[in-house]
Amino acid sequence: MDENEKKLQEKFIQLKKYLDKGDKKRFRKTYLDMHFYDQSTFYLTLNKDERLSIYTILEPDEMGDMFDTLEDDLPEIPEYLNEMNLTYASQMLNDMYDDNAADILEHLDKVEIERFLGQMPRADANNLRGLLHYDTETAGGIMTTDYVMFHEEETAQEAISNLKKFAETAETIYYLYVLDNHDDLVGVMSLRDLIVLDDNAVLKDNMNSDIITVNVDADQAEVAKVFRDYEFLAVPVVDHSNQMVGIVTVDDVIEVIDDESLQDYSGLAGVSIDETVQDNPLKAASKRLPWLITLLLLSMITATLINHYESLLAEASILAVFISTITGTAGNAGTQSLAVAVRRLAVEEIDRSEFFKLVVKEFLTGFITGVVTGASVLLLVGFWKHNFILGMVIGLAMCAAITVANLAGSLIPMLMSSFGFDPAVASGPFISTLSDLTSVLIYFSIAGMFLQSFVGA
Amino acid sequence: MDENEKKLQEKFIQLKKYLDKGDKKRFRKTYLDMHFYDQSTFYLTLNKDERLSIYTILEPDEMGDMFDTLEDDLPEIPEYLNEMNLTYASQMLNDMYDDNAADILEHLDKVEIERFLGQMPRADANNLRGLLHYDTETAGGIMTTDYVMFHEEETAQEAISNLKKFAETAETIYYLYVLDNHDDLVGVMSLRDLIVLDDNAVLKDNMNSDIITVNVDADQAEVAKVFRDYEFLAVPVVDHSNQMVGIVTVDDVIEVIDDESLQDYSGLAGVSIDETVQDNPLKAASKRLPWLITLLLLSMITATLINHYESLLAEASILAVFISTITGTAGNAGTQSLAVAVRRLAVEEIDRSEFFKLVVKEFLTGFITGVVTGASVLLLVGFWKHNFILGMVIGLAMCAAITVANLAGSLIPMLMSSFGFDPAVASGPFISTLSDLTSVLIYFSIAGMFLQSFVGA
């Protein structure tokens, strides 16, 4: 525990004392002086009675500031909302940034959502309904409508004084969006640009009219790319008629980047990691089993294939010794190739000509790694068993198996992506189980051809 | 290509025309109106002659704005710097944000670095030398010293008017750092907080004195965690005597998050993905081969083990049929367990008691998945081969192999982490190759015990 954490723990103990003694005034002072995230850490340590009593101490908007920093998919959130007085909860949701409120509501059922929305002013409720309507993983799903806008004819001085009003509600006041008479977005300006202007300068003459926007339906990964490239703190979101409907802010993009990388990572491992961290063994097992059993069935096909070659195995039981070496190594190569392909698909757009080039490249990479690995295993087996024909059979099989595994590792995610599926679903375990099958087929075909030579040698 | 890209392509064509015709004035206007990132995209399309001519059109600070957005590890950067006039290049580096300039210099050798630093004012050169001294992946390695600071006795009005001076050079002006007479950091304030203050309000009375800082030696992953939790746009960095030495801004943290997740992902696949995207097949193969050959050697141990059981295999060649099913399935389970463990280690600090709990949990999860998968394979083999004793042997072996693989998948990264190694290095391919070995050992031991029963059945 470092210095910061220690100080925080002491504050938490103090806060609980105030709560026990009913010292509302001191509680408010200490609590409200903390960062919102620390407030939320404190809140999560409370039991139900303690929570019920802080709802009477804090105003809904103060509670909302803290709820803005809570993870929206925290499983306890519906419970928290239901233990609050309905008016209090609705007011709190209404006082939150609308993107965060929508993220929370998304985890409730329709009836519950309407219970809360019914208590809000109609315009606010409709605004939230609008946000709930967008897919979670699109620009619309992560945007807020609480942004700062000015008319293009306003002067710097007017803008700065109006900004003070926005400072209460807008999610960021550091980017200002400039509209014309038709409410079309015609310019963007940073507060940094604004602050150095002369008082009488007109926004129109000083704004940046080369505006980078994202479409409301754009995938969240695309939105993240804009932030990475341009290093913005916020980006305007427009609908199909190019009307501005909201902004995405950088804090939400950090969540998106975490989400996306976790999805890729989980995909590669064939397990949904985000859900298993807090689960008990039974729940964790129930989440991992579907993939395992599916892959088990696929590997049973491999078993049938080996079974088909049983007479070959009976004649040369030495062949069994190298099954796992060949399937294992080809599987490892396939996993490498898969990871490179999925990553590339995540960061680039790949058109048809690129696609072909990449698959050829991966084929060649597979062939080169196959030749080197095959030659190594030829020597290893040759010297070990004093049988270089057997070594050649194993080496050839390994070379071919690795080449095929590399090809599969890149081709499968690329095909999936071009048919509109998420390539990250083609997991490492899937590729290596599939590659077991092709490896065994290659191995026994080659062994069959040379059977007389190496058994006789 | 979408609308934005099309417009950009047209601008690029226009810019090249101006460059060919030597129309400096029009070139400057069009170029400087673009976003810095678009400027850099344009710059990267130029050949050497074109680049040499834009160095005569643009001022060093204008070139620096663009260089601020270039990837610091772009292999061509040393070439670009060397083709510039030395004074021009030094001036440009000096005009850049110091963290970005340091990131670029880091990729040069000492002699080259001193050539550029020698042309700068001594204080600026020393500042950069100071930054170069920190490890790349620490707070010091990603921080900038271009931040906004005020004295605690200043009023809001004074601060805002002073802010205009900072707006030229500071990397962000949205967070203001408040110092006392001893230059100690005593408060933080956002520009949002400042802008709503009355003109005569004193900073001291309105700043936030509950300051979250990071230590200059803190790992970059730790810094990223602070940004995730608190949703800051910048965080102050302090040295061991708690003196403020710089700030880390959110754009650098996005790079850190990308870096860290790429490292985890690459680790899981046993390949360094960041390096292979642009490589030719030969280079890609040379990067993948070290892991593959290492794992091949490990899998040869498994082969020796199977070889040891050759007499068993000769008696019951049916055993060979299920080798790949057992090793494959256990490898898949081990990969899942590894991914969960590595991810958990990345997001949480785990102490000794937690460690034990997690390993027990993973053991139980492995056992449950093992029992279910083992029972499935018992039935599959039993019905297929009309031999439930054989089915039981395979099922038992699979259950035990999965349990052990799960245990290894969680125990190995945790042990690595507690001995101070990066757990992400324990790759999926490593765990599955290791698990091949234990699976084979388990399989043949169990099969040996029941040999008479299932061969006789």
Side-chain angles (χ1 to χ4, degrees), chain A residues 4 11 33-35 37-38 97 163-164 167 170-174 190-192 195-196 208 210 212-213 228-233 250-251 254 257-258 261-262 264-265 268-271 273 276-277 279 281-282 284-285 288-289 291-293 295-297 299-300 302-304 306-307 310 313 317-318 320-321 323-325 329 332-333 336-337 339-340 342-344 348 361-362 364-365 368-369 372-373 376-377 380-381 384-385 398 406 429 432-433, chain B residues 4 11 33-35 37-38 97 163-164 167 170-174 190-192 195-196 208 210 212-213 228-233 250-251 254 257-258 261-262 264-265 268-271 273 276-277 279 281-282 284-285 288-289 291-293 295-297 299-300 302-304 306-307 310 313 317-318 320-321 323-325 329 332-333 336-337 339-340 342-344 348 361-362 364-365 368-369 372-373 376-377 380-381 384-385 398 406 429 432-433 436:
Chain A
N4 290 337
K11 264 192 202 161
D33 264 357
M34 295 198 299
H35 290 272
Y37 174 72
D38 295 336
Y97 292 127
L163 201 59
K164 298 189 186 184
E171 187 153 346
T172 178
I173 62 159
Y174 302 133
S190 69
L191 179 50
R192 186 193 195 114
I195 217 167
V196 295
N208 187 342
D210 179 10
I212 309 282
T213 59
R228 278 197 192 96
D229 288 346
Y230 291 95
E231 305 189 352
F232 289 145
L233 300 179
V250 70
D251 55 308
I254 287 185
I257 293 176
D258 277 337
S261 72
L262 191 57
D264 287 353
Y265 185 81
L268 190 62
V271 62
I273 294 157
T276 42
V277 170
D279 293 337
L282 205 62
R288 296 186 202 174
L289 275 166
W291 250 123
L292 278 185
I293 299 283
L295 294 175
L296 170 65
L297 295 179
S299 82
M300 284 303 288
T302 310
T304 342
I306 304 179
N307 188 57
E310 215 188 336
L313 275 168
S317 61
I318 183 77
V321 170
I323 292 178
S324 73
T325 308
T329 309
N332 293 342
Q336 290 182 328
S337 160
V340 173
V342 169
R343 177 69 195 173
R344 185 168 300 159
E348 295 170 33
K361 189 206 131 178
E362 204 53 44
L364 289 175
T365 307
I368 298 169
T369 36
V372 176
T373 318
S376 315
V377 88
L380 286 169
V381 173
W384 176 27
K385 289 287 168 189
M398 186 166 280
N406 264 48
S432 67
T433 307
Chain B
N4 290 338
K11 263 190 204 162
D33 265 357
M34 294 197 302
H35 290 274
Y37 174 72
D38 294 337
Y97 293 128
L163 200 58
K164 299 190 184 185
E171 188 153 347
T172 179
I173 62 159
Y174 302 133
S190 69
L191 179 49
R192 186 193 195 114
I195 217 166
V196 296
N208 186 342
D210 178 10
I212 308 282
T213 58
R228 277 198 193 95
D229 288 347
Y230 290 94
E231 305 190 353
F232 289 145
L233 300 179
V250 70
D251 54 308
I254 287 185
I257 292 176
D258 278 337
S261 72
L262 192 57
D264 287 353
Y265 185 80
L268 190 62
V271 62
I273 293 158
T276 43
V277 170
D279 292 339
L282 205 63
R288 297 187 201 171
L289 275 166
W291 251 122
L292 277 186
I293 299 282
L295 294 175
L296 171 66
L297 295 178
S299 82
M300 284 303 288
T302 310
T304 340
I306 304 180
N307 189 58
E310 215 188 337
L313 274 168
S317 61
I318 184 75
V321 170
I323 292 178
S324 73
T325 308
T329 309
N332 293 342
Q336 290 181 328
S337 160
V340 173
V342 168
R343 176 69 196 176
R344 183 169 302 158
E348 295 170 32
K361 189 206 132 180
E362 205 54 44
L364 289 175
T365 307
I368 298 169
T369 38
V372 176
T373 318
S376 315
V377 88
L380 285 168
V381 173
W384 175 30
K385 289 286 170 191
M398 188 166 280
N406 264 49
S432 67
T433 307
D436 284 355

Side-chain angles (χ1 to χ4, degrees), chain B residues 384-400:
Chain B
W384 175 30
K385 289 286 170 191
H386 306 290
N387 186 339
F388 282 89
I389 300 183
L390 179 65
M392 190 203 62
V393 168
I394 313 286
L396 264 181
M398 188 166 280
C399 175

Side-chain angles (χ1 to χ4, degrees), chain B residues 140-261:
Chain B
I142 53 175
M143 74 181 183
T144 173
T145 60
D146 299 327
Y147 57 91
V148 178
M149 48 194 158
F150 292 118
H151 189 270
E152 57 177 347
E153 300 289 354
E154 283 183 81
T155 64
Q157 194 180 23
E158 287 166 341
I160 290 200
S161 91
N162 283 334
L163 200 58
K164 299 190 184 185
K165 281 183 279 171
F166 281 112
E168 279 290 293
T169 54
E171 188 153 347
T172 179
I173 62 159
Y174 302 133
Y175 282 27
L176 328 166
Y177 300 94
V178 186
L179 308 181
D180 65 9
N181 283 329
H182 307 95
D183 277 349
D184 282 338
L185 176 67
V186 290
V188 181
M189 202 164 194
S190 69
L191 179 49
R192 186 193 195 114
D193 297 333
L194 178 63
I195 217 166
V196 296
L197 288 185
D198 290 332
D199 283 354
N200 297 320
V202 177
L203 298 189
K204 193 167 66 169
D205 306 327
N206 295 280
M207 67 193 187
N208 186 342
S209 47
D210 178 10
I211 315 166
I212 308 282
T213 58
V214 294
N215 197 286
V216 73
D217 292 329
D219 189 88
Q220 60 176 9
E222 220 176 289
V223 181
K225 187 167 170 9
V226 172
F227 278 84
R228 277 198 193 95
D229 288 347
Y230 290 94
E231 305 190 353
F232 289 145
L233 300 179
V235 123
V237 182
V238 295
D239 65 12
H240 297 281
S241 55
N242 223 26
Q243 284 268 321
M244 182 168 176
V245 290
I247 61 168
V248 174
T249 52
V250 70
D251 54 308
D252 297 318
V253 165
I254 287 185
E255 260 179 66
V256 166
I257 292 176
D258 278 337
D259 266 16
E260 295 277 323
S261 72

Side-chain angles (χ1 to χ4, degrees), chain B residues 6 14 42 102 199 209 254 292 312 319 329 374 395 403 405 418 449:
Chain B
K6 230 180 257 170
Q14 200 61 51
F42 173 70
D199 283 354
S209 47
I254 287 185
L292 277 186
L312 189 63
L319 288 176
T329 309
T403 311
S418 65
M449 286 190 277

Side-chain angles (χ1 to χ4, degrees), chain A residues 363-417:
Chain A
F363 174 80
L364 289 175
T365 307
F367 183 67
I368 298 169
T369 36
V371 167
V372 176
T373 318
S376 315
V377 88
L378 186 161
L379 293 176
L380 286 169
V381 173
F383 281 110
W384 176 27
K385 289 287 168 189
H386 307 290
N387 185 339
F388 283 88
I389 299 184
L390 178 65
M392 191 203 62
V393 168
I394 312 285
L396 264 182
M398 186 166 280
C399 175
I402 287 178
T403 310
V404 170
N406 264 48
L407 200 60
S410 61
L411 201 55
I412 289 176
M414 296 220 185
L415 285 175
M416 286 178 69
S417 150

